[in-house]
Structure formats: C-alpha cells, structure tokens
Amino acid sequence: MMKRMHKHASAKKIVRKGYDKIATRYTATRNVDSNSEDIRLLKLLAERLPKGAMILDAGCGSGRPVTQLLAESFAVTGVDFAEKQLHIAKTSVPNAGFICADLSHMPFKDEAFDAICSYYSIIHIPREEHSKLLTGFHRILRADGLVLLCTGAGDLNEDVSDYLGSTMFWSHYDSETNLRMITASGFEPVWFGIVKDPIDSASSHLFVLGKKK
C-alpha cells in the first residue's frame, strides 16, 4: 500500500511540475483548429444539453480550446492542479470559473453538474485510480448527467518520458477495459470511438460519451 501511494504521489508530482514548466508552450500547441476531430466531438455533448447547463471541465489546463468553446453556451467550471496553466486559463477564458484541485479529490457536492468533460487528463493519472475517479464523476453528476471522456486506447501500465521539453507521466488501460470500467462505474455509453491525437499523429485515444444510469 505504501509503495502504491508513493508511486501515485510521484506520478502526480511529475504531471503537475511538467505542465507548469511547459504552460506557455502547451497552450500554444493546444490552440488547435476547432475543426479537429477531438474538438468536433464537443458537439455530441453540447447538442444534448440546455443552454446554460453547468459543466465541469476536469483537467482544463490553460482552458483552450475546450473550456473556451464550452463557455460560449454553458456555465463552465474548470479544475486543474497545475497553477501556471490555471493562471493562463483565468486570463484567456474570463467567462468561466476555475478551481485548483486534484481530479482524484474534487471539492464538489453531490449532483453539482449537468455534464463533465475531460480531455487528455485521465491518461496522466495512475490507472489504478481510474475506477475511483469515474465513481467520483458519477457522484457529482445530476440524474441523467453526461460525461465526455478521453481515455487510453492501448494498454500502458506507466510511462515516464519527455513531452514538449519536460518529463511527463502516462498510464491507462486498453479500450475494452476502459469501456467496461466506465459501465461498471454507473455510466451507459452513448457513443465511443478511437480518435487520433491532433498534436501527435502516432497516438490515439478512446473518447466516450456516457450517460449517468
């Protein structure tokens, strides 16, 4: 147990430090064409929600482009633990709210949101924590609430390597395991598909639109 706790703490430290170090570079890189496949998927979520719905952007980073686009029609709260990323987000997306917190321990009451969106964040959390994270998402969603999740497409216990000039951590299960885990956490998949990473064409991710059961 102590070894696992140490691993998880170390992984989160790597991710937080890494994203703070590359905050400006990452923001510029993620300022992608709004017509990229991953960003187009936001429509799957948006078209199922009433205007002004409360959305949590879990792992919002600098807020661009996901928080920024959602905030045009909805009441969005972004949460991230990389403080320099959040500083950029607060400046670039003034019509959204932002909270500095760990996705694994989010300070929100039960049934606080109509939807949760999470792009490129779950894959940076040790995969042994993913089930607990999904259960947490389920708790803070209202009845029939929606999630749009970016998860891993292949099996990767853990990897620590360079990303945009800083050390970064990744960990995720394969697509089938992720779908089973999402279903077991209380969500009914509405749509899912493999999507190419808009920054790294060699990488792909499983995106899942789910509804709280």
Side-chain angles (χ1 to χ4, degrees):
M1 178 64 74
M2 288 298 294
K3 185 177 181 180
R4 182 192 297 178
M5 290 175 63
H6 176 74
K7 170 190 170 182
H8 292 184
S10 176
K12 292 178 181 182
K13 183 178 180 180
I14 290 171
V15 175
R16 182 188 291 112
K17 183 178 179 180
Y19 271 113
D20 273 338
K21 180 179 178 180
I22 64 173
T24 302
R25 184 182 302 176
Y26 180 74
T27 299
T29 304
R30 283 298 299 154
N31 195 21
V32 296
D33 181 358
S34 61
N35 197 42
S36 63
E37 187 176 4
D38 61 338
I39 300 306
R40 291 201 308 269
L41 290 178
L42 288 174
K43 184 179 179 181
L44 290 175
L45 184 66
E47 66 188 10
R48 290 171 168 81
L49 294 170
K51 188 176 179 64
M54 296 184 67
I55 301 179
L56 177 69
D57 187 358
C60 64
S62 66
R64 294 191 297 189
V66 176
T67 317
Q68 191 173 46
L69 291 170
L70 290 173
E72 293 176 2
S73 302
F74 307 106
V76 184
T77 299
V79 60
D80 206 290
F81 65 6
E83 294 182 359
K84 290 185 180 179
Q85 295 274 356
L86 283 176
H87 177 74
I88 296 173
K90 290 174 182 178
T91 302
S92 60
V93 194
N95 55 334
F98 295 96
I99 294 173
C100 185
D102 184 337
L103 295 190
S104 301
H105 306 283
M106 290 187 294
F108 302 112
K109 64 181 182 180
D110 293 358
E111 302 183 356
F113 297 96
D114 298 299
I116 297 172
C117 181
S118 185
Y119 272 47
Y120 309 111
S121 298
I122 298 173
I123 56 175
H124 291 302
I125 297 171
R127 65 185 190 176
E128 297 88 352
E129 290 191 19
H130 291 187
S131 180
K132 178 183 176 182
L133 177 74
L134 291 168
T135 300
F137 284 174
H138 189 276
R139 177 185 66 80
I140 62 176
L141 271 179
R142 292 170 183 163
D144 296 324
L146 298 170
V147 289
L148 178 57
L149 307 174
C150 168
T151 67
D155 184 76
L156 180 67
N157 183 22
E158 62 177 271
D159 178 46
V160 178
S161 54
D162 179 81
Y163 181 63
L164 298 177
S166 185
T167 304
M168 189 55 66
F169 173 91
W170 291 270
S171 179
H172 49 76
Y173 296 105
D174 61 89
S175 297
E176 291 185 4
T177 301
N178 283 322
L179 284 169
R180 287 197 301 269
M181 187 163 52
I182 289 169
T183 301
S185 299
F187 296 102
E188 177 185 355
V190 175
W191 178 94
F192 60 88
I194 303 297
V195 177
K196 287 285 188 182
D197 191 303
I199 299 173
D200 180 5
S201 59
S203 299
S204 296
H205 307 275
L206 173 70
F207 278 77
V208 181
L209 176 70
K211 183 177 182 180
K212 180 175 179 176
K213 293 188 287 186

